[in-house]
Amino acid sequence: AQSVTQPDIHITVSEGASLELRCNYSYGATPYLFWYVQSPGQGLQLLLKYFSGDTLVQGIKGFEAEFKRSQSSFNLRKPSVHWSDAAEYFCAVGAAKLIFGTGTRLQVFP
Amino acid sequence: SAVISQKPSRDICQRGTSLTIQCQVDSQVTMMFWYRQQPGQSLTLIATANQGSEATYESGFVIDKFPISRPNLTFSTLTVSNMSPEDSSIYLCSVGTGGPNYGYTFGSGTRLTVV
């Protein structure tokens, strides 16, 4: 069955610290992988996506993600977090339709 | 990417009534979807809105409760019927685009509260 697991429900980091949000997937074919961010009261904004090619993907707002097929992972990273990055982050997988993980809520302390 | 206009942005409804949510896209799209996000939860796909044919519903969702229309390639509606407090959620429209810009864009959502 197709599924996405985000092991961390809630992460707290200090502003300026590095960040890594974990995402593991189960998918029968070559996965199409996405990271979205949802700020409070807002819709979903696409941060980055991976289909093929270079396994290190650059996205908006300084985020990047690395696809590791052997680990079935697509972890999201940022070298230095800003207070405005506080939001809910969703990993998703799919081709004809998306399956979402449960999300990770990021809190940033000044 | 496509720009989605979703209306209403929020509503408070009485139980037993129905609400129709509209999704308008600024370009023709083949793939159109409706999601539900319950409070503090992730997104769950309700159905795929097919142009010119009946929507394809996911397990746990039925047409009588969530009728969907898709009259053309730029517009769709989702109706939440005979509402109960358990239907209080954010409902989001999404469109998929193919080609080199393959991906999914989401509307800003409709925040529904049933009292």
Side-chain angles (χ1 to χ4, degrees), chain A residues 8-100:
Chain A
D8 305 305
I9 296 173
H10 187 197
I11 284 183
T12 301
V13 300
S14 298
E15 191 170 19
S18 63
L19 172 70
E20 182 170 29
L21 302 183
R22 295 183 291 166
C23 173
N24 293 95
Y25 66 89
S26 173
Y27 197 75
T30 300
Y32 288 53
L33 295 157
F34 306 83
W35 274 100
Y36 287 89
V37 60
Q38 185 179 37
S39 298
Q42 303 295 313
L44 273 74
Q45 182 181 23
L46 178 67
L47 288 174
L48 45 78
K49 59 188 176 185
Y50 172 79
F51 305 142
S52 64
D54 192 346
T55 56
L56 185 61
V57 181
Q58 301 298 320
I60 62 171
K61 303 185 179 186
F63 285 93
E64 66 177 26
E66 186 171 12
F67 170 63
K68 293 185 177 180
R69 184 184 298 275
S70 62
Q71 298 178 18
S72 297
S73 70
F74 189 56
N75 294 348
L76 182 71
R77 301 194 294 247
K78 186 170 185 177
S80 178
V81 172
H82 188 264
W83 64 265
S84 61
D85 293 324
E88 187 89 20
Y89 291 81
F90 293 98
C91 181
V93 64
K97 57 186 180 183
L98 287 184
I99 299 168
F100 282 84

Side-chain angles (χ1 to χ4, degrees), chain B residues 6-112:
Chain B
Q6 191 173 333
K7 293 189 292 186
S9 59
R10 60 177 63 229
D11 207 342
I12 301 174
C13 300
Q14 297 291 323
R15 67 178 66 201
T17 63
S18 299
L19 175 71
T20 296
I21 302 168
Q22 299 181 0
C23 178
Q24 178 74 53
V25 190
D26 68 342
S27 58
Q28 293 186 338
V29 293
T30 303
M31 298 183 288
M32 213 161 182
F33 309 90
W34 287 98
Y35 287 82
R36 180 177 72 182
Q37 186 177 23
Q38 294 177 298
Q41 303 294 315
S42 184
L43 284 79
T44 301
L45 180 63
I46 297 173
T48 301
N50 302 308
Q51 194 268 328
S53 64
E54 198 169 279
T56 304
Y57 289 84
E58 298 298 306
S59 176
F61 297 95
V62 295
I63 187 172
D64 289 346
K65 177 67 176 177
F66 298 101
I68 289 170
S69 78
R70 179 90 192 268
N72 56 54
L73 292 175
T74 64
F75 186 78
S76 177
T77 66
L78 168 74
T79 299
V80 185
S81 303
N82 188 24
M83 289 184 286
S84 67
E86 291 70 36
D87 294 319
S88 297
S89 296
I90 299 173
Y91 293 86
L92 297 107
C93 171
S94 174
V95 300
T97 53
N101 293 319
Y102 183 90
Y104 297 86
T105 304
F106 286 81
S108 55
T110 297
R111 185 179 294 273
L112 170 63

